[in-house]
Amino acid sequence: MPHHLPAPLRNPLRVALVGVLALILGFTGVPAAQAADYSWTVQKLSVAGSSTGISGSRVVGYSDNGGWYYDLANPSAGVRVLPGPSAIAQSHAAAVDGRWAVGSTDTNELGSEPAAWDLSSPSLTHVRLAGPAGSRAWPKTVSGNRAAGYTNDEATVWDLTSGRATSLHTAVGARAGDSSEITDMEGSVVVGTIWRASGLGTFAYDLDARRLLFQDDSLDVYFATMMISNGWILRQISDDPAPGRPDLLRNLATGATIDPATFLPPGKEAYETAMAGGKVIVRIAEDDATFTYDPASGVRDNWNLATAGD
């Protein structure tokens, strides 16, 4: 059975490093000291809830009061609530890219309705996305005018301009009885996982070319998360519900692979990983230290390895 957890629980490193991500992704235009202040503000917001996505200066997440949106470049606007379809429907933001934030709104204790919000509109217009009534639907990622995630255990892509949903369950290699979901996307490429009776599989699929770019059904682990940035895919695996370690770093265009063991500090083990701006972000378990690795250049940036060594 798939382990569909809310986005922030699936990748808690994004919560811990949301301020760092703002700097890695090249958010400039303000003095360094001011940018650091913004980063700290977002980290404080995460204490009450969860920061689940960042794009440029835009950050989204959700707390006990529902989904929220915060613009690092416009702190005077404060934290803004993402509206639901009704006064009692609570929103949950999962990801943001450009003008769009995506996530879901609660319909009842059994289901959720996929949703998007137009951040370019003064009222943060709520957009209903297609999904069966009473379904479990969760757009987990967004790129351009498309969002992706799952609906009732099937990998799904939504067109944000029309709200139309398309199942990719069979296209990504899943069969009847399997469960599939998309965990990340970049441009036209989506990546995700398939739960089979025989074990766990992972994939990368090009929406425009309509073809699989990568597929691996050899995993014998409890859980895996696929990520993509600048054409590199990163797979994080775990044998229990806790965050896990990277076991695959692959360039989709060239097929080149990098063994994650080669960029970890000697004698250290990764506790959890994320990707942003083409870089792998790694948290070291023993020292609670964090560093980035650029697969294109092979450079490891010892950003916060004061205790972890180099």
Side-chain angles (χ1 to χ4, degrees):
M1 291 295 291
H3 304 279
H4 291 314
L5 301 177
L9 298 181
R10 297 297 295 273
N11 200 343
L13 184 61
R14 294 187 181 181
V15 178
L17 298 182
V18 66
V20 181
L21 292 179
L23 303 179
I24 291 173
L25 289 172
F27 173 59
T28 57
V30 296
Q34 191 176 9
D37 289 342
Y38 288 172
S39 300
W40 175 239
T41 299
V42 178
Q43 288 177 11
K44 287 190 292 184
L45 291 174
S46 299
V47 173
S50 298
S51 303
T52 55
I54 182 169
S55 174
S57 65
R58 292 173 168 176
V59 183
V60 298
Y62 68 83
S63 66
D64 291 342
N65 296 320
W68 54 262
Y69 161 60
Y70 184 80
D71 191 344
L72 290 162
N74 186 24
S76 62
V79 181
R80 302 182 63 190
V81 175
L82 295 171
S86 69
I88 62 172
Q90 191 174 59
S91 59
H92 303 271
V96 59
D97 182 60
R99 63 180 279 206
W100 293 108
V102 299
S104 67
T105 55
D106 292 338
T107 53
N108 51 50
E109 67 277 9
L110 299 177
S112 60
E113 179 180 272
W117 294 270
D118 186 348
L119 303 182
S120 67
S121 70
S123 61
L124 306 179
T125 302
H126 167 260
V127 179
R128 271 192 167 104
L129 302 179
S135 66
R136 292 188 302 113
W138 186 277
K140 300 168 66 69
T141 181
V142 57
S143 181
N145 290 321
R146 290 185 285 207
Y150 68 86
T151 301
N152 291 343
D153 296 339
E154 291 194 3
T156 304
V157 172
W158 287 269
D159 182 330
L160 299 178
T161 58
S162 67
R164 180 174 174 266
T166 302
S167 172
L168 291 184
H169 190 66
T170 57
V172 299
R175 300 181 289 269
D178 295 341
S179 297
S180 62
E181 72 168 316
I182 294 165
T183 56
D184 202 3
M185 71 185 301
E186 180 179 63
S188 65
V189 178
V190 295
V191 296
T193 53
I194 300 173
W195 283 267
R196 309 185 192 277
S198 58
L200 191 65
T202 53
F203 64 84
Y205 180 83
D206 191 321
L207 298 171
D208 292 342
R210 298 184 180 182
R211 66 184 180 92
L212 279 168
L213 304 177
F214 170 81
Q215 189 171 29
D216 180 7
D217 289 332
S218 64
L219 294 178
D220 183 20
V221 294
Y222 173 85
F223 181 74
T225 298
M226 291 284 284
M227 295 163 258
I228 181 170
S229 184
N230 285 16
W232 288 86
I233 58 172
L234 175 71
R235 184 171 64 199
Q236 176 182 265
I237 63 172
S238 177
D239 291 317
D240 56 55
R245 59 182 174 83
D247 85 314
L248 173 71
L249 183 58
R250 180 186 179 96
N251 186 291
L252 286 177
T254 66
T257 60
I258 298 175
D259 182 352
T262 62
F263 59 78
L264 290 172
K268 301 297 182 180
E269 183 177 351
Y271 177 69
E272 50 189 330
T273 51
M275 289 201 83
K279 294 184 178 181
V280 181
I281 310 164
V282 183
R283 180 180 171 194
I284 302 298
E286 299 90 341
D287 307 294
D288 199 24
T290 307
F291 71 91
T292 65
Y293 173 76
D294 186 345
S297 64
V299 174
R300 188 178 69 207
D301 176 14
N302 297 333
W303 173 77
N304 185 24
L305 277 179
T307 58
D310 57 14

